[in-house]
Amino acid sequence: IPVDPFDLVIFGATGDLSTGKILPGLYRRDADGQLPEAARIVGAARSPMGDEDFRTLVRAAIHAAIPEKKRDREAIERFLTRLSYVAVDATGEDGWPELAAKMRPDVVQAYYFSVGPGLFGALAERLHAHGMNAETCRIVVEKPFGHDLASARALNATLAEHFDEHQIYRIDHYLGKETVQNLMAVRFANMLFEPLWKAQYVDHIQITVAETVGVAGRGGYYDKSGAMRDMVQNHMMQLLCLIAMEPPYAFEPDAVRDEKLKVIRALDPVRPADLVRGQYRAGGGMGSYHDDVEAPDSRTESFVALKAHVSNWRWKGTPFYLRTGKRLRARTSEIAVTFKDPPHSIFGDQEGHRANLLVIRLQPNEGIKLKVTIKEPGPGGMRLIEVPLDMSFAEALGPGAQEIPDAYERLIMDVIRGNQTLFMRGDEVEAAWAWTDPIIAAWEARGDRPQPYDPGGSGPEDALMLLHRDGRRWREIR
Ligand code: BG6
């Protein structure tokens, strides 16, 4: 779907997110022919720099982010002509009149806050003060959106002084992932799953976001957050919402967000016994968490596993097990829905006869797999085996298929289109913090230390026990 002409200002244009994701993503959209002729991108940051220097920096960023065989020299040069640069001081007056003068009134104006959360308020205020907050302007706000409920509320209130909710795009890049959207298609465009999508037929749900990386390089931020704030409050919560929500009346922003909000509000508080926190040790030639954050006493968790309950008619009784961590065995994100056993087995107790399982894989190898039980082919009698009905997107769509766009590319295009469906509304973010805060407060009050775990594994022993004690097992991280 084409987008309207736009002026996109990226604050923090020289930072990691901008050079690593946003600008290469915009280049890819351009190379695909999605950016209109009149699209312009303005880099804004504190350091003084000319347009040409900025273009040189972005050219290098594209080279670093995109493998050579996927780069198109002509397309890169064309993309660079769209770029210019203004040095602005987020907390002072420098550069603002120049920036304001650059904005064209007759195109979509979007401002991407790719800066630390400490500057969100100041940027919103300056944009307002310089008349850059007209009805049609949009701001894009990165995470972390607050550190707790109080700070998220304060931030929402500050942004609301300068912009309306329909102008605020709070990014959770997990919502831009292809499979996450496919999850909604699978649920709401098929008759097959929805009737079974409830506690009566679903035994339990596992959501895993495992990473192999540690926190080296971002220790300063991460040590103040930990896995609960960094991943659970936002990305994992969004995945849970999409799995658990009622069918929205339409695939429209408020229809979808209203349903997600109801899920968050229906979440029970998590009991301390249903939560495990971990912290990686040194191993495999790599340092420990403590080494990475340079704080030998840190009690911040790099791993969380928990059991959550959504207390509503649909889900009462079906546990949602969530787990996420750094330095684990593999980089894997998936949601696994395990259905209940048939009420009676006419084939007796047979090995190989397992409950149906629907695995929605976010990364790598995006796809959806449904495990069903069939008769083992051959003359060996009525022996049952489990086989996967596999829909790997890469295979299903064939080699000629378009490459799956990165989450950021899709989300930025949605900003320009003015579609907030895949962005978090202010009340949603606050509700997520309202659920997270007491969990964190409880372990802080107890002074809990996270349990150490070996790198390259699946987290602390107790995380395994969380399921064992319910007679269940985590899926392997691979
Ligand atoms: C970010 C977190 O939001 O998401 C990081 O701050 C994490 O700690 C990252 O590594 C994971 O995103 P992805 O897309 O690589 O799964």
Side-chain angles (χ1 to χ4, degrees), residues 143 173-174 177 211 218 230-231 235 326 331 363:
K143 71 176 273 247
H173 78 281
Y174 266 59
K177 290 189 191 270
E211 298 184 276
R218 323 164 56 214
D230 185 51
M231 297 295 287
H235 306 324
K326 306 250 184 224
R331 178 170 187 252
Q363 59 197 24

Side-chain angles (χ1 to χ4, degrees), residues 397-416:
L397 301 175
Q402 261 193 352
E403 219 173 295
I404 297 177
D406 177 76
Y408 278 95
E409 295 173 38
R410 181 192 318 268
L411 294 175
I412 297 169
M413 291 301 102
D414 277 358
V415 173
I416 307 299

Side-chain angles (χ1 to χ4, degrees), residues 22 51 62 101 182 239 313 375:
I22 303 172
D51 291 346
I62 293 172
N182 222 317
L239 298 181
W313 273 48
K375 178 191 167 299

Side-chain angles (χ1 to χ4, degrees), residues 354 356-357 370-374 385-389:
R354 302 226 182 88
N356 293 131
L357 177 71
L370 177 64
K371 290 208 174 154
V372 290
T373 302
I374 60 163
I385 52 164
E386 193 187 38
V387 292
L389 291 179

Side-chain angles (χ1 to χ4, degrees), residues 122-366:
L123 287 177
E125 202 181 301
R126 290 295 180 290
L127 286 170
H128 185 172
H130 291 273
M132 290 184 266
N133 67 336
E135 264 292 284
T136 52
C137 297
R138 287 131 219 204
I139 56 171
V140 185
V141 187
E142 263 298 327
K143 71 176 273 247
F145 198 89
H147 186 72
D148 53 15
L149 177 58
S151 52
R153 271 196 185 137
L155 183 50
N156 272 334
T158 307
L159 296 183
E161 281 172 30
H162 310 290
F163 292 91
D164 279 345
E165 183 62 33
H166 77 267
Q167 299 177 282
I168 305 173
Y169 289 70
R170 295 176 194 78
I171 286 228
D172 185 312
H173 78 281
Y174 266 59
L175 289 177
K177 290 189 191 270
E178 179 71 18
T179 323
V180 172
Q181 292 166 74
N182 222 317
L183 173 58
M184 287 190 271
V186 165
R187 278 197 64 193
F188 304 128
N190 293 287
M191 196 55 208
L192 200 55
F193 301 107
E194 205 46 31
L196 302 179
W197 211 258
K198 54 175 78 158
Q200 201 181 341
Y201 301 111
V202 175
D203 179 72
H204 74 280
I205 291 169
Q206 297 184 16
I207 305 179
T208 298
V209 177
E211 298 184 276
T212 51
V213 291
V215 301
R218 323 164 56 214
Y221 150 76
Y222 193 91
D223 199 41
K224 289 195 211 76
S225 299
M228 192 74 184
R229 290 188 168 98
D230 185 51
M231 297 295 287
V232 178
Q233 186 271 347
N234 38 76
H235 306 324
M236 310 275 293
M237 176 69 80
Q238 291 295 323
L239 298 181
L240 188 153
C241 283
L242 297 179
I243 283 282
M245 73 183 183
E246 295 300 316
Y249 65 82
F251 191 56
E252 280 170 12
D254 281 335
V256 171
R257 299 186 300 177
D258 285 346
E259 295 308 335
K260 287 197 292 167
L261 180 63
K262 286 186 210 161
V263 173
I264 307 176
R265 292 201 171 136
L267 279 170
D268 283 347
V270 173
R271 299 182 315 153
D274 290 341
L275 178 101
V276 178
R277 298 165 68 233
Q279 197 183 60
Y280 60 83
R281 293 196 183 96
M286 286 178 291
S288 66
Y289 177 85
H290 286 159
D291 299 333
D292 285 351
V293 300
E294 295 173 18
D297 254 349
S298 170
R299 293 184 181 195
T300 304
E301 76 287 353
S302 58
F303 176 98
V304 175
L306 61 86
K307 176 158 80 166
H309 289 281
V310 180
S311 275
N312 61 17
W313 273 48
R314 188 189 278 265
W315 291 116
K316 187 76 189 179
T318 296
F320 288 72
Y321 298 100
L322 274 50
R323 114 186 114 154
T324 182
K326 306 250 184 224
R327 279 279 152 78
L328 298 177
R329 183 175 304 130
R331 178 170 187 252
T332 298
S333 298
E334 62 168 39
I335 302 166
V337 180
T338 303
F339 291 88
K340 289 193 171 162
D341 285 334
H344 168 67
S345 169
I346 65 168
F347 305 108
D349 269 346
Q350 286 207 31
E351 287 273 315
H353 180 194
R354 302 226 182 88
N356 293 131
L357 177 71
L358 180 72
V359 180
I360 300 140
R361 188 143 169 121
L362 272 58
Q363 59 197 24
N365 313 325
E366 295 96 333

